[in-house]
Amino acid sequence: MTPNFRMGFKLSGTDAHIYLAFRFHGNFYHSYRGDTPDELGFGKDIRILRHILQTLDDLNACGIPVCGTWDFENLFSLQEIIPAHSPDLLAALQRRAQQGHDEFHLMSYNNGLVSAHDAREFEAAIRRGISNPQGSGLRDLFGDAFYPMVRPQEMMFTPVHLQLYPACGIHAISLFYSALPFNGFSNFLPLLSAHQRYNPLTLTYPGLAHTMTLMPCYNTGDLADHLTLRRWVKQMRRAQLQMEQPHDLLLLIDMDADDEFWAGFDIPLLKGRFSTISGLRGLVENVADLEYVRFTTPGRYLETHPPLQTVIIGQDTADGSFDGLSSWAEKWSNHQVWTLLERARLREWQTCHLSGNSPPASIQQLLNESFETRLRLLSTTHFGMSAPIMNRAREQTAFALAHHALKTAEQAFAQSAQPPSHATFCLFDYPRGLSTEHVLYETHPSKGLIRLRLDDAVSEPFALRTLMGIPIPSAVWNRELFFVDRFAPGEMRMYHIEAGRPPHLPARPVRANQESLENEFLCLTFDLQGHPVHFTRNGEEFATGHFLRSGVTYAGQTYQVTRWETVESKAPGIVGWVRQTGRLTLKGGHPVEYQRELLLAAGLPYLYVSMRVTYPPTPHAGYSKEKARRLGRTWDSRWQEVRPCEIHPALFGALRVWKHNYFGHVSTYALDYGRFSSNRVLDSVNNHVTCGWVAVSDGMRGLLTAYTVDTLGGMAFCPMRTRADQTGLRVAMNPFGSYWGRQYRYDTADTGLGRFLAIALSAADHINPYAPSYNGQRQQFQLLLAPYSGDAPPVEVQKDALAFAYPYGHLEQAGHTSTTNTSTAII
């Protein structure tokens, strides 16, 4: 029976309507399925997309003017998979575009981690998504049906995108305002009224001149939360009629185009009673007879409905676990793959710096190959959302791409690097990025600790001097050279090793023993069990309790290292360190072994922490056999959390995160969501893309932590946890670890069914713990910890942290020092 769809009918004296739009998120390249044209690969996508297109055609033929809105990534789906395996889908989409039915929004060319791209990668991903030489751009394929709105892959956004998207011709963005943990921004600002949450907003950020139009959208979990679409629409209508001046509302339903929800479920008990299970047809027919409903697309709605209110989002958003970046950043493989990618970037930056940004053709060809490989590697599919581990074939592909990107970049660097002719070795500063028309990566003055492995041919003792003969305080221990130096922006510094001379000592050497580690700025004090219990900067305390803690949550029990054994405490002048070992034993007798080095350098107000962790292989148990079949591997679900080096700073009260992204932009957000939501404390929070460093402050003082890609890097390497006590809110930082616990609560919820289905019934399996990915693995990383006064980390500290993250370039004569800047041998 054709529903009675009446146009232009007035109710209760208002011309306001409820507009309804459906958007289908198309991506045939998955982290939890393979690359075969069957149900274990992209065959499911083909089947459901055919069903959606046929349903839209059938409904239109019945006189229901429902529209489809689509966002597709280009590289994998529109350019490679669909033309080869289902060209009929592309023809049907183009037909509906030409007929004026459907609209197309941008995702990104590579369905990428766009908030963790650098400037060149981002601009390529966005511009190619619109148009590219292969003809797979949205404008290439769908012409005027392309509307300049981005529905970013996995809802990823960082504030500086407000400048970059408009520069690429994109002026609107759409993010989930959801009531379950598959969300964009609903928990990051005070509750929006019905008028606001179903209308465009103006998205802005302090200090950025540009804004974008933000269109909130909702997913199929929100539909479940409202039981039926009809019930939801009627609620919206009641709220609309209660407005002083009733205003149009747009309900934009957005979900993956491969979701079985669009095809419907065969549940005899609920058929005919619960329209939500009847797929796209059931949804449309459920509301098509309501006289105030209008079908549209977001672009058509925005043409006549300007933004209502300005909002600020400081978080880096993503629709993963805990409303953030956990799903792509906290698995063991995420860190490993990302480190290779970052090393490839670093070699590109150094090569271009040495070549004067005009490399010879042979070098440029290698750099181009590395760049194109990185662009493909940066697909979110190579990092998540699959939980708790990656699909085996997909992980292998990610590692292969990462190694190739690094290999070609290393080859380019080797061709551009000329060893110093008059010095033993040299170090050089360089811009940490390649500038574009819209993003400028500048060089900055910086200082840092240099650690270089010595070749066996270098004899001891020796003194270190500049090429001009100026002595540099240094130390050598176990064939590792330590010294501190400062660099002007872009400076190249030459060094000479003077054999047979004792090393020069600093004016104020570092002091180290089993009780304390101290330089002229910092003092780290240990208790009788080897735990650091005081960390002071110029006498001000920055530690609370055990400052650094290592542990695992396994089978419902939390284990921590209770005693650290000091195996070495040395202070050979310019540096001093305490090296320790720790151990804990999991249920079943499985040992986790830790080694750490805590180091201070003369003249630097930074604590250097090196960690090595060996996680034991435990028997695989508690996994879903069906999911294991899709992932091509099994796991031990008893692993829940890993905390290799959890930091407990003495920060309390008005906590704020400061973060530096891959576009060189620093932004911030407050951690106290309890000011406007039910989330008083957060078991895990990771809304900070971290290009090198991240910091937390309480307004009066703060602590910055940075990693170095010489050992391990991460796009969002430091999840955090908040707790409340009599002093107020406090925070723990968990670099290269993964927390687990309660997902966030949502004040936008109606029945709470959506969140219940996602959590209690594991309908959203991306919210499972990521700790199983560490089972049987080894982990090694180095951190810089910088305590500071004030709110934002001082600019000088930021620059030193970035130089630690991406170390000074290194050129040498053969047979002197290694090609890495920091030691990878901890103990």
Side-chain angles (χ1 to χ4, degrees):
M1 184 176 104
T2 302
N4 178 19
F5 186 85
R6 289 170 285 177
M7 301 292 288
F9 186 87
K10 294 183 181 180
L11 182 66
S12 302
T14 179
D15 289 323
H17 299 97
I18 305 292
Y19 286 82
L20 188 60
F22 298 98
R23 184 166 58 205
F24 311 104
H25 180 64
N27 172 24
F28 283 35
Y29 192 62
H30 303 283
S31 62
Y32 52 89
R33 297 207 302 272
D35 297 325
T36 54
D38 54 26
E39 292 294 310
L40 290 178
F42 51 78
K44 181 182 178 184
D45 301 77
I46 294 173
R47 171 175 59 84
I48 295 178
L49 255 72
R50 282 178 178 152
H51 177 88
I52 293 172
L53 287 163
Q54 186 61 56
T55 300
L56 291 172
D57 285 342
D58 291 346
L59 291 169
N60 292 162
C62 292
I64 302 176
V66 63
C67 309
T69 301
W70 306 83
D71 69 281
F72 276 99
E73 52 80 21
N74 314 75
L75 174 58
F76 301 100
S77 298
L78 294 177
Q79 187 170 309
E80 295 180 351
I81 298 175
I82 292 178
H85 295 275
S86 52
D88 59 296
L89 292 179
L90 186 55
L93 290 166
Q94 290 177 313
R95 170 179 55 79
R96 291 190 58 82
Q98 292 166 359
Q99 292 171 343
H101 292 307
D102 293 359
E103 182 172 286
F104 294 81
H105 295 172
L106 179 71
M107 185 194 311
S108 63
Y109 176 74
N110 57 343
N111 79 297
L113 293 151
V114 289
S115 54
H117 285 39
D118 68 17
R120 289 176 64 242
E121 293 160 353
F122 177 86
E123 291 183 22
I126 302 309
R127 294 187 188 279
R128 292 186 196 182
I130 300 170
S131 181
N132 61 66
Q134 290 74 30
S136 64
L138 298 181
R139 186 167 287 147
D140 302 328
L141 293 171
F142 307 112
D144 292 340
F146 163 63
Y147 183 81
M149 172 183 286
V150 61
R151 188 278 196 197
Q153 170 72 345
E154 309 297 5
M155 298 289 154
M156 292 187 179
F157 165 81
T158 188
V160 77
H161 284 172
L162 295 175
Q163 290 186 176
L164 301 179
Y165 275 123
C168 296
I170 303 297
H171 300 280
I173 187 170
S174 187
L175 301 172
F176 282 143
Y177 187 79
S178 184
L180 68 153
F182 190 58
N183 190 25
F185 70 103
S186 68
N187 266 327
F188 300 152
L189 67 168
L191 190 68
L192 296 176
S193 67
H195 190 192
Q196 296 160 346
R197 72 179 73 166
Y198 299 113
N199 265 296
L201 308 165
T202 296
L203 180 57
T204 186
Y205 184 82
L208 296 179
H210 293 83
T211 66
M212 292 182 73
T213 297
L214 169 62
M215 189 65 239
C217 60
Y218 303 83
N219 57 58
T220 51
D222 294 301
L223 267 173
D225 188 61
H226 287 84
L227 303 182
T228 69
L229 182 57
R230 189 180 187 91
R231 182 174 178 274
W232 192 355
V233 167
K234 285 192 170 184
Q235 284 181 343
M236 292 173 62
R237 183 60 171 177
R238 287 194 293 272
Q240 186 181 52
L241 295 177
Q242 290 170 4
M243 298 175 187
E244 185 174 342
Q245 279 190 307
H247 194 286
D248 291 339
L249 304 177
L250 170 65
L251 176 56
L252 172 55
I253 305 294
D254 177 295
M255 195 58 195
D256 292 357
D258 68 328
D259 197 306
E260 205 72 54
F261 180 90
W262 297 119
F265 304 96
D266 187 14
I267 308 176
L269 180 65
L270 298 179
K271 271 192 173 179
R273 303 182 182 182
F274 200 61
S275 61
T276 306
I277 71 163
S278 299
L280 178 60
R281 178 183 293 276
L283 291 178
V284 173
E285 292 182 344
N286 188 227
V287 297
D289 65 321
L290 298 175
E291 56 272 16
Y292 49 83
V293 166
R294 300 289 183 270
F295 294 100
T296 190
T297 65
R300 293 165 198 165
Y301 187 85
L302 263 60
E303 287 175 358
T304 55
H305 296 80
L308 297 179
Q309 177 173 320
T310 296
V311 296
I312 297 171
I313 302 174
Q315 289 82 351
D316 296 331
T317 66
D319 58 18
S321 186
F322 301 105
D323 292 6
L325 292 151
S326 301
S327 299
W328 303 273
E330 294 180 18
K331 293 186 283 289
W332 178 85
S333 62
N334 295 155
H335 301 142
Q336 309 303 317
V337 173
W338 192 259
T339 302
L340 295 170
L341 184 147
E342 290 230 76
R343 289 175 181 171
R345 284 173 171 169
L346 180 147
R347 282 309 196 200
E348 178 187 60
W349 306 337
Q350 293 178 342
T351 300
C352 289
H353 178 72
L354 293 175
S355 303
N357 290 319
S358 299
S362 60
I363 294 178
Q364 188 62 58
Q365 183 176 355
L366 288 167
L367 292 177
N368 291 344
E369 185 175 349
S370 181
F371 177 83
E372 294 298 328
T373 305
R374 291 205 317 267
L375 201 62
R376 181 177 286 264
L377 173 60
L378 278 163
S379 164
T380 58
T381 300
H382 295 130
F383 297 88
M385 312 180 70
S386 177
I389 53 177
M390 291 288 293
N391 173 281
R392 183 183 298 278
R394 186 65 69 236
E395 186 178 285
Q396 291 171 345
T397 298
F399 273 105
L401 289 169
H403 281 293
H404 185 70
L406 178 57
K407 177 183 176 181
T408 50
E410 290 278 16
Q411 290 172 342
F413 177 78
Q415 291 187 28
S416 67
Q418 296 295 323
S421 57
H422 301 293
T424 305
F425 66 94
C426 73
L427 300 175
F428 62 91
D429 184 54
Y430 54 92
R432 271 65 176 183
L434 297 184
S435 298
T436 69
E437 181 183 353
H438 306 290
V439 175
L440 176 63
Y441 294 99
E442 297 181 290
T443 52
H444 301 275
S446 62
K447 61 184 181 300
L449 170 66
I450 313 298
R451 302 176 67 166
L452 297 173
R453 279 294 185 191
L454 294 174
D455 188 273
D456 291 339
V458 178
S459 59
E460 299 181 52
F462 65 81
L464 185 66
R465 296 179 180 272
T466 68
L467 200 59
M468 303 302 294
I470 300 173
I472 299 176
S474 63
V476 175
W477 193 259
N478 290 336
R479 307 300 297 166
E480 186 175 12
L481 171 64
F482 300 81
F483 65 98
V484 172
D485 214 344
R486 297 172 180 269
F487 287 77
E491 181 183 11
M492 179 174 286
R493 293 179 67 84
M494 304 288 186
Y495 301 90
H496 179 67
I497 287 178
E498 188 176 8
R501 299 290 298 273
H504 305 285
L505 295 176
R508 299 181 63 180
V510 179
R511 297 174 295 281
N513 54 50
Q514 293 193 30
E515 289 77 37
S516 66
L517 179 65
E518 185 175 3
N519 70 3
E520 62 265 50
F521 303 105
L522 305 176
C523 181
L524 192 68
T525 305
F526 302 89
D527 66 12
L528 294 178
Q529 287 72 45
H531 295 284
V533 290
H534 295 290
F535 181 45
T536 59
R537 176 181 176 273
N538 298 329
E540 184 177 15
E541 182 66 74
F542 280 83
T544 177
H546 290 171
F547 179 51
L548 304 177
R549 310 177 193 181
S550 297
V552 167
T553 301
Y554 181 79
Q557 182 176 347
T558 295
Y559 303 82
Q560 290 196 124
V561 175
T562 58
R563 182 177 181 83
W564 291 90
E565 299 290 341
T566 298
V567 297
E568 185 178 69
S569 57
K570 293 287 183 182
I574 190 67
V575 291
W577 60 76
V578 174
R579 291 172 174 170
Q580 300 176 311
T581 62
R583 181 186 175 101
L584 57 84
T585 304
L586 305 178
K587 181 180 180 180
H590 306 289
V592 185
E593 298 178 345
Y594 300 86
Q595 297 170 296
R596 74 181 180 192
E597 174 195 86
L598 307 173
L599 182 148
L600 294 178
L604 295 176
Y606 309 132
L607 173 66
Y608 296 90
V609 181
S610 299
M611 292 293 307
R612 178 185 288 163
V613 188
T614 302
Y615 298 101
T618 60
H620 291 191
Y623 56 85
S624 161
K625 292 184 178 179
E626 173 57 28
K627 187 175 180 182
R629 188 169 72 95
R630 287 188 283 121
L631 294 178
R633 60 206 305 190
T634 59
W635 61 93
D636 182 1
S637 66
R638 291 170 291 185
W639 289 80
Q640 294 172 281
E641 292 185 337
V642 290
R643 299 186 302 284
C645 185
E646 187 180 52
I647 304 166
H648 289 261
L651 304 174
F652 309 97
L655 299 177
R656 179 169 292 279
V657 175
W658 294 87
K659 51 197 170 72
H660 175 252
N661 67 22
Y662 293 92
F663 305 97
H665 183 247
V666 176
S667 55
T668 183
Y669 68 96
L671 279 173
D672 185 9
Y673 298 172
R675 290 178 293 114
F676 50 77
S677 79
S678 302
N679 299 296
R680 308 298 182 217
V681 295
L682 308 172
D683 281 349
S684 181
V685 55
N686 196 341
N687 293 95
H688 31 273
V689 167
T690 49
C691 176
W693 62 264
V694 66
V696 182
S697 77
D698 61 9
M700 300 296 292
R701 59 192 181 278
L703 181 70
L704 176 148
T705 182
Y707 62 79
T708 174
V709 298
D710 264 356
T711 47
L712 196 65
M715 74 185 81
F717 80 105
C718 190
M720 300 179 189
R721 168 174 283 171
T722 63
R723 290 292 181 261
D725 59 19
Q726 65 275 12
T727 62
L729 205 62
R730 51 191 174 87
V731 66
M733 307 166 73
N734 189 12
F736 297 109
S738 183
Y739 285 126
W740 185 241
R742 296 161 295 183
Q743 294 288 327
Y744 296 172
R745 297 209 149 292
Y746 299 90
D747 294 343
T748 57
D750 179 30
T751 65
L753 180 62
R755 185 176 183 274
F756 171 78
L757 291 173
I759 297 173
L761 301 184
S762 294
D765 58 8
H766 72 283
I767 66 173
N768 291 323
Y770 305 111
S773 68
Y774 293 80
N775 184 6
Q777 304 289 0
R778 293 185 178 183
Q779 187 181 36
Q780 185 171 325
F781 57 86
Q782 294 179 299
L783 303 173
L784 175 152
L785 304 186
Y788 63 88
S789 299
D791 190 5
V795 172
E796 180 182 8
V797 174
Q798 294 181 31
K799 304 314 177 189
D800 292 350
L802 195 61
F804 172 78
Y806 306 99
Y808 304 115
H810 180 204
L811 302 174
E812 63 189 16
Q813 289 183 5
H816 288 284
T817 58
S818 73
T819 55
T820 58
N821 292 357
T822 59
S823 168
T824 56
I826 298 172
I827 294 178

